[in-house]
Amino acid sequence: STATFGVAVNRSWRNQQTNEWEERTSFFNIVCWRGLAENVAASLKKGTRIVATGRLEQRSWETEQGEKRS
């Protein structure tokens, strides 16, 4: 069995030049298998904080309109 879900990672830091706080959010699609997938399906819901470990892969592509995505 597999489980797929999205994760938003919020990161904030103080800009050294402006001394202002900045924030960036990155979005990741997560895929897990077997026992971990069953555990995820039974225990996570929207808004749950998680710690994720594993292999990170990034894909880049171009839409039919010519926009670059990753």
Side-chain angles (χ1 to χ4, degrees), residues 36-51:
L36 179 57
E38 293 172 13
N39 181 295
V40 162
S43 61
L44 296 185
K45 63 181 191 250
K46 186 175 182 176
T48 302
R49 291 180 181 237
I50 66 163
V51 174

Side-chain angles (χ1 to χ4, degrees), residues 3 15 26:
N15 183 311
S26 300

